[in-house]
Structure formats: structure tokens, C-alpha cells
Amino acid sequence: MKKVILTGDRPTGRLHLGHYVGSLRQRIELQNSGEYDEIYIMIADAQALTDNMENPEKVRQNIVEVALDYLSCGLDPEKSTIHIQSQIPELFELTAYYMNLVTVSRLQRNPTVKAEIQLRNFEASIPVGFLAYPISQAADITAFKATTVPVGEDQQPMLEQTREIVRKFNSIYGETLIEPETLLPDNKACLRLPGIDGKAKMSKSLGNCIYLSDSEEEVRKKVMSMFTDPNHLRVSDPGQVEGNPVFIYLDAFCRDEQFERYLPEYKNLDEMKAHYRRGGLGDVKVKKFLNAVLQEELEPIRKKRREFEKDIPYVYEILRKGTEKAREVAASTLADVKRAMKINYFEDAELINEHIRKFSK
Ligand code: ATP
Ligand code: MG
């Protein structure tokens, strides 16, 4: 069986460190590993509209921002097909058929949807499209016959829903769709990176992000303002490492050799954490180290972004070509689905002949 990746992001803002560690960094490793036959990267603008219907301009402006973030992180259009969801109508046709396989109460039980409904104050009136977006996500994944979906932890319930739809479809209409697997980052700190405010998730909607395209100065300011252990008041106080975002970011980003260069008094992060726990290590010193670590990771990305920003027509050309290619694949899956459901009337000579016989009697 072919190994196929599908994943993507909502163009609701520029991409941030959460996207990077939760999905983007791994995507690039997978792309460069050469182990996958096909890689599809979706800019999910139609999904973004399900909770931004009144603000299409936001979505419209951020498509190119997300594309620039992709390219500057190393997604290579020769190896990964970057495409725009709304330009592939076949995805919406698939969604319509899958809708009949899912109940409203099942959607309402989806824990990610539940949390997002609360966050957006949709409790009293949920847009139908928003409640149903896990179904459209199942269409996105199955349209490309994806076997692997590299995402952050918050997407697990979506993948479960997709697998249910696949099983149900195949059991009714015969083996047609592929059941995908989630690929989570193996570093625990990357599953759900907290915000700089200490909130559980760095998220565009919460305004607690360090963006991949933030300037050196913006990153430095954000790091120095980060929430840490509120009980660690004096340098001599013992501090808590668990749940402390500064240390979670270090878990996600720093490498042992960086201690040699920036803080030779520690061999590795464990030694630094031990010092923080016993007291005597100030937040400012930890934050300065984190800043150095992050700048090292982000500087090459910023540099590449500036290059791509000089050639926006090229970026749009990548999107156009990627979308064309993706559309062909989605159309072929849709044809399989319609054949399986036997709603491909004009291709169905058997049906037509049967009716000829029936009505000629
Ligand atoms: P929005 O607030 O508009 O939903 P978002 O910041 O949650 O935006 P998405 O586009 O919904 O971003 O998510 C894209 C991908 O990034 C998903 O795979 C998701 O799991 C991952 N991701 C997003 N935020 C984080 C995070 N803080 N930690 C780890 N992974 C994340
Ligand atoms: Mg999200």
C-alpha cells in the first residue's frame, strides 16, 4: 500500500511555535526522509470560515502567510503538494455523503469540538458548518487516501471520527476508503505547547503565541515576559519545573550542545532543572537561555521567509499548481466513492440495461 501523508492548518493567522513543534517540524522530517510516496499539505480555508464566516478577509489575508511559513520552514513544493481546500469542490461533495454516516450527538461529544464551542461562545447557537467540521476533515483526509496524519494532540478526536466514518462507509458500501493513523510528536512537550501566558495551548485564537515570523526583538520581548512559576519570587526560592512554560519550551527546543555554548555550567537540561528546583537559579537567566535557543531555530526560518516574500507570484504559482494536482486526486477518490455507492448512473451500463429490460416488457 502507498504511504500517503495529509495534514494542514487553518489560515486564521501566521503559524506559531505550537504548530512548529506539534506538526510542522515533523512534517519536514517526514518529507525529507523519502519514506512517503505522496505528501499533501492543506491550507484549510473553508474550515477556517466555519468560525470566521463574518471575517472572510482574515482568512483571505492569511493564506499567503501560512504558505510563506511552510516554505520558510522547508516544505518543498517538489515533494509536498501544498493546496487550498476551498478550491477543491470534490471535498465538499464527499462531505455531503459522509454527513449521512454521522449523528449530531456524536459530533457534540467530540471533545475538541466541545472545547472549541466553549472557547468561541457558540454554546447557544452553533453554526451547522462548525459542528460538522470534523466530517469535512474526514473528507479531506480520505480524499487523498492518507495513511498518516501528523498533527498535534488536539486533533486525536478528529482522527477517531474519521476512522469511524471510514469503517462505516466501507461496511455499507464495500472496501473503498483508507483508515488513517495519527502521527503525534514523540517529544511529550510538543504534544500541546502552552502559550506564553501559561494557558494550556498556544493558539492563534488566544493571542498567546510566538510566531515563526516574529522579529528577533519581538521574540526576545515575548520570552522575557513569559509566565513562569508564580511562587518563584526570589532567585534563592526553590522553583517548579512541571507545567512551567519556560521549561516546557526548553524541553521542546533545546539540545545538549547548546549548554556547552551558552551555559557551560550545566551539561544538559536535567542539570539546569535540578538547580531551578533546589533554588538559586533566576528566571531571567533561564529566559535568556531560552531566547538564545529559540533565536537559533528561528533565524534561518526568518531569513528564508524574507527571500520568498520578494517573490509572491511564485508563492501563488506553487499554490495554484498544488491545488490543481490535489484536485485531480480528490476527483478520483470521489469517483470511487460514487461507484461504491452506485450513484454513478451515467457510467452504469448494467443499471441502464436492466431498465431497458424492465420497461420493454
Ligand atoms: P485556531 O485557534 O484558529 O484553531 P490553532 O492555533 O489551533 O488555530 P490550527 O490551524 O487549528 O491552529 O492547528 C494546526 C495544527 O497545529 C494541528 O495539527 C494542531 O494539532 C497543531 N497545533 C496547534 N496548536 C498547537 C500547540 N499549541 N501545540 C502543539 N500542536 C499545536
Ligand atoms: Mg485549532
Side-chain angles (χ1 to χ4, degrees):
M1 189 167 70
K2 269 205 289 196
K3 288 174 82 176
V4 181
I5 288 180
L6 173 108
T7 184
D9 304 274
R10 296 149 41 92
T12 48
R14 293 173 291 147
L15 299 184
H16 54 63
L17 294 184
H19 299 120
Y20 186 68
V21 298
S23 172
L24 196 47
R25 185 163 62 179
Q26 194 176 29
R27 262 179 235 178
I28 288 147
E29 281 168 20
L30 296 172
Q31 168 194 273
N32 296 337
S33 75
E35 278 178 29
Y36 288 83
D37 299 294
E38 286 163 35
I39 301 176
Y40 298 94
I41 308 290
M42 175 179 289
I43 302 184
D45 62 331
Q47 189 190 115
L49 286 170
T50 63
D51 57 329
N52 287 284
M53 204 51 196
E54 280 155 34
N55 198 0
E57 191 56 24
K58 174 163 118 187
V59 175
R60 185 166 169 261
Q61 292 300 331
N62 279 303
I63 290 173
V64 71
E65 296 278 3
V66 170
L68 284 165
D69 285 329
Y70 285 166
L71 296 168
S72 51
C73 286
L75 278 183
D76 173 356
E78 294 294 317
K79 299 180 185 150
S80 298
T81 306
I82 305 173
H83 59 281
I84 305 178
Q85 184 187 28
S86 65
Q87 305 306 298
I88 306 181
E90 287 78 4
L91 299 174
F92 303 94
E93 228 179 304
L94 284 174
T95 305
Y97 297 125
Y98 295 172
M99 278 183 169
N100 304 323
L101 305 175
V102 181
T103 64
V104 172
S105 65
R106 173 66 183 87
L107 291 170
Q108 284 167 332
R109 276 200 312 274
N110 182 313
T112 302
V113 173
K114 253 186 177 168
E116 289 178 341
I117 284 174
Q118 224 175 19
L119 184 74
R120 289 160 177 75
N121 289 322
F122 278 165
E123 280 108 330
S125 58
I126 314 168
V128 173
F130 186 80
L131 185 66
Y133 93 72
I135 304 177
S136 107
Q137 209 161 308
D140 302 338
I141 294 167
T142 54
F144 299 99
K145 302 210 155 93
T147 51
T148 310
V149 185
V151 282
E153 195 184 32
D154 63 329
Q155 293 300 307
Q156 283 275 57
M158 300 300 159
L159 265 289
E160 199 37 53
Q161 187 115 51
T162 299
R163 282 190 287 269
E164 280 174 33
I165 291 174
V166 169
R167 287 196 287 265
K168 189 136 194 208
F169 187 96
N170 288 348
S171 77
I172 301 173
Y173 304 111
E175 282 299 313
T176 313
L177 303 173
I178 308 257
E179 228 180 284
E181 272 178 18
T182 321
L183 193 63
L184 294 175
D186 37 19
N187 180 340
K188 251 185 89 191
C190 301
L191 288 174
R192 192 176 294 237
L193 199 76
I196 55 170
D197 57 358
K199 287 211 181 105
K201 190 181 162 224
M202 181 179 285
S203 166
K204 288 169 275 191
S205 313
L206 296 172
N208 58 6
C209 306
I210 295 179
Y211 293 98
L212 297 174
S213 49
D214 276 347
S215 69
E216 186 177 345
E217 186 49 21
E218 282 166 327
V219 174
R220 195 190 62 79
K221 273 199 190 138
K222 287 182 183 177
V223 171
M224 297 317 284
S225 75
M226 269 177 79
F227 177 89
T228 62
D229 172 6
N231 299 317
H232 185 240
L233 297 173
R234 275 164 307 204
V235 172
S236 55
D237 289 340
Q240 192 171 332
V241 167
E242 286 69 35
N244 184 333
V246 177
F247 281 97
I248 299 176
Y249 287 20
L250 284 174
D251 274 326
F253 284 99
C254 88
R255 300 183 302 272
D256 287 355
E257 47 96 10
Q258 288 172 316
F259 282 96
E260 216 170 283
R261 271 186 287 136
Y262 298 112
L263 287 176
E265 64 259 52
Y266 308 110
K267 252 206 221 67
N268 53 37
L269 187 55
D270 285 341
E271 283 190 7
M272 188 186 203
K273 283 179 178 171
H275 191 185
Y276 193 80
R277 283 198 185 98
R278 42 173 207 275
L281 172 56
D283 282 335
V284 171
K285 190 166 170 179
V286 186
K287 286 177 172 177
K288 280 190 172 160
F289 176 57
L290 174 62
N291 179 53
V293 167
L294 289 181
Q295 300 290 359
E296 224 180 89
E297 188 97 19
L298 295 176
E299 183 48 29
I301 298 175
R302 278 195 290 255
K303 227 168 120 191
K304 254 180 118 175
R305 199 184 214 268
R306 282 194 291 270
E307 288 307 306
F308 284 112
E309 283 172 354
K310 287 186 203 146
D311 199 354
I312 293 298
Y314 172 65
V315 177
Y316 270 97
E317 188 54 19
I318 290 171
L319 292 175
R320 197 182 58 77
K321 279 199 184 137
T323 303
E324 270 170 21
K325 181 175 165 199
R327 187 170 179 189
E328 278 172 29
V329 179
S332 144
T333 303
L334 177 64
D336 293 345
V337 160
K338 286 177 140 176
R339 209 174 302 119
M341 294 173 72
K342 296 192 181 255
I343 53 171
N344 58 335
Y345 313 109
F346 304 131
E347 290 172 13
D348 192 344
E350 206 181 300
L351 175 77
I352 298 171
N353 286 332
E354 181 193 324
H355 286 170
I356 294 172
R357 283 195 302 276
K358 179 175 169 187
F359 293 104
S360 64
K361 274 182 195 155

